[in-house]
């Protein structure tokens, strides 16, 4: 029993050692960058950078929430389309055909309901 416990904790010791080495590596890299970089602050360097154009007006800009909804819908459908590939491999195996077919149509039904809901709420109209 003690031999198994020793191997168990040795595995955690390796993980802990790798974590410490990783943290030290990042700390040394940041410290070296801070020590080696030149620090010459000028008024031009302290300005807000806007793609090479001088900043005009205040720093607040209103962003449409609609863009986030489009991105969210894209991520949902992109991730859901990834689930179709493992389904295709399981569907090809013997004995799983009918079950996986029904499960996939239920899954696609939920996606369709979500898409219809978004369309009904007017989320997909670009104005």
């Amino acid at each position: 029993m003690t031999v198994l416990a020793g191997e168990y904790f040795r595995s955690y010791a390796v993980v802990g050692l790798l974590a410490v080495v990783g943290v030290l590596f990042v700390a040394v890299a940041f410290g070296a960058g801070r020590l080696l970089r030149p620090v010459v602050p000028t008024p031009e360097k302290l300005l807000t950078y806007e793609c090479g154009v001088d900043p005009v007006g205040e720093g607040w800009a209103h962003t449409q929430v609609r863009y986030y909804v489009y991105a969210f819908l894209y991520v949902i459908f992109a991730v859901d389309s990834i689930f179709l590939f493992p389904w295709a491999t399981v569907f090809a195996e013997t004995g799983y055909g009918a079950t996986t077919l029904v499960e996939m149509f239920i899954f696609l039904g939920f996606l369709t309901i979500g898409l219809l809901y978004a369309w009904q709420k007017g989320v997909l109209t670009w104005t």
Side-chain angles (χ1 to χ4, degrees):
M1 187 69 169
T2 58
V3 174
L4 292 176
E7 285 187 33
Y8 180 76
F9 288 118
R10 189 175 307 127
S11 298
Y12 276 113
V14 170
V15 172
L17 181 65
L18 284 174
V20 168
V21 168
V23 169
L24 284 175
F25 182 76
V26 171
V28 167
F30 275 116
R34 186 175 183 103
L35 290 174
L36 297 175
R37 73 175 177 229
V39 180
V40 184
T42 61
E44 289 83 18
K45 287 184 180 179
L46 298 176
L47 282 176
T48 304
Y49 181 73
E50 294 183 8
C51 300
V53 180
D54 290 332
V56 178
E58 60 185 62
W60 176 258
H62 181 69
T63 304
Q64 295 269 345
V65 176
R66 184 175 302 125
Y67 301 129
Y68 295 111
V69 174
Y70 282 116
F72 187 63
L73 284 172
Y74 171 76
V75 168
I76 288 173
F77 286 106
V79 169
D80 290 339
S81 66
I82 290 172
F83 286 122
L84 293 174
F85 294 111
W87 169 77
T89 59
V90 171
F91 183 69
E93 292 183 17
T94 58
Y96 291 108
T99 305
T100 54
L101 185 66
V102 170
E103 288 175 353
M104 187 47 61
F105 275 113
I106 291 172
F107 178 71
L108 291 174
F110 281 124
L111 287 180
T112 306
I113 290 170
L115 183 62
L116 291 174
Y117 178 77
W119 186 19
Q120 179 205 15
K121 289 293 185 179
V123 171
L124 302 177
T125 58
W126 189 272
T127 56

